Amino acid sequence: MNFKRSILFLLVAVSLSFVEVLNAQNKNRLYMKYIDTYKDLAISHQKKYKIPASITLAQGLLESGAGMGTLARKSNNHFGIKCHNKWTGARVYHDDDAKGECFRKYRHPQESYEDHSLFLTRNMRYAQLFELKSTDYKGWARGLQRCGYATDKAYASKLIQIIELYELYQYDRKGRSSQEIPKLPKGYIPHQVYRSSGLYYIEVRPGDNLKNIGNEFGISVRKLCRYNEIPKDYPLDPGMVIYLEKKNRKADKAYTKHVVSAGQSMHDISQIYGIRMKYLYKMNGKDGDYVPSEGDVLILR
């Protein structure tokens, strides 16, 4: 283990986190104001209905244009929910997939949030989503797209990008019940260190956090965040790759292209191939506003 650690110390270098810079540039003030207004409501709904607060907020932001869309301003409809057959409340007509479609109208945005939660919990189409953990925002985003919440092929990717850009996943932890909070293992077992694309990395285990990983390998949390282009409170899912050194500018020769799957973000792809996001965007001629859609082909080198 000492030999491995000595190698890792030699590989450690200070790197500028492109994601931190990119996020600071791309954050929208209207989005920030919307989040501040509705985050507590989303958290309370997670506790009551088990829908991740991050998903509720991301859908509200996306569907309502941060509360500035026509449906949100005139009808308090923040989630784009259409009338459907069982709706007996007020309604409004708006052009969407077709001209003059019927949408639900509410007296207050709070009613829209309540109806959104009831819409998901009472509709059997979405029943499978409630088998996921309330902190699994990626699973929820991909599930909503798969279950047909929206016709946009990039819907899951857009939700995930919003959640990660605005760090909405932090509210999922606040919305958990005490029974959902995992306990750290009593005995700590060292991680297996792997090497791929010339990079050392480990795979996240249940109960892991950046602090215990950093302590094990003598790497600060700040550097782990930079190497993996994540904020310090980023949720670590079991099986997730954590690099112990700075990622490469391009993928190995064996990997030249990547076909995007539903819900994959640019960060997901950068972690798979050990490429810094700055260069992944640059190689593909994309800027920070680009959201990958299912089926897109990205150049890796």
Side-chain angles (χ1 to χ4, degrees), residues 197 243 250-251 255 257-258 269-275 300:
S197 302
Y243 289 102
K250 57 185 178 181
Y255 307 104
K257 294 181 180 180
H258 175 82
I269 298 164
S270 76
Q271 290 294 100
I272 292 172
Y273 298 101
I275 307 171
L300 302 175

Side-chain angles (χ1 to χ4, degrees), residues 46-232:
Q46 177 176 330
K47 292 178 178 178
K48 184 177 180 180
Y49 296 106
K50 310 305 180 187
I51 301 166
S54 62
I55 286 292
T56 299
L57 286 169
Q59 283 196 284
L61 284 163
L62 184 59
E63 298 286 350
S64 75
M68 299 303 293
T70 301
L71 276 175
R73 288 186 291 104
K74 295 186 176 181
S75 309
N76 291 310
N77 188 331
H78 283 234
F79 297 93
I81 300 179
K82 297 179 182 178
C83 294
H84 302 293
N85 296 330
K86 296 181 180 180
W87 179 248
T88 58
R91 56 190 63 201
V92 65
Y93 296 90
H94 180 75
D95 294 345
D96 190 50
D97 293 330
K99 188 174 182 179
E101 291 191 273
C102 183
F103 286 85
R104 302 182 183 188
K105 183 177 181 180
Y106 310 97
R107 291 174 297 176
H108 307 287
Q110 290 83 349
E111 289 185 359
S112 180
Y113 270 72
E114 181 73 16
D115 193 42
H116 169 260
S117 295
L118 294 176
F119 181 77
L120 293 181
T121 55
R122 294 177 179 178
N123 193 327
M124 287 303 297
R125 175 192 292 184
Y126 303 106
Q128 59 186 279
L129 300 182
F130 292 88
E131 297 177 6
L132 301 172
K133 292 182 179 180
S134 60
T135 52
D136 184 7
Y137 65 87
K138 290 184 179 179
W140 269 82
R142 291 163 182 156
L144 285 167
Q145 179 175 323
R146 186 172 59 250
C147 293
Y149 191 96
T151 57
D152 184 356
K153 288 181 65 177
Y155 191 71
S157 297
K158 289 178 180 178
L159 291 179
I160 291 169
Q161 182 156 309
I162 289 171
I163 290 169
E164 295 184 344
L165 178 59
Y166 293 92
E167 301 177 25
L168 302 182
Y169 44 73
Q170 64 182 295
Y171 303 119
D172 296 340
R173 291 191 290 276
K174 294 180 180 180
R176 286 185 297 178
S177 64
S178 59
Q179 291 83 358
E180 291 182 288
I181 301 175
K183 295 182 179 180
L184 293 174
K186 294 181 180 179
Y188 189 82
I189 302 173
H191 290 81
Q192 173 67 50
V193 179
Y194 302 96
R195 187 174 174 84
S196 178
S197 302
L199 302 171
Y200 288 103
Y201 71 93
I202 57 99
E203 292 183 353
V204 172
R205 303 181 310 211
D208 271 348
N209 57 57
L210 291 175
K211 185 176 180 180
N212 65 43
I213 293 172
N215 287 340
E216 180 180 343
F217 294 100
I219 303 173
S220 69
V221 169
R222 182 180 179 84
K223 287 179 179 178
L224 285 176
C225 290
R226 287 182 174 179
Y227 296 157
N228 293 277
E229 301 179 287
I230 55 176
K232 64 181 180 180

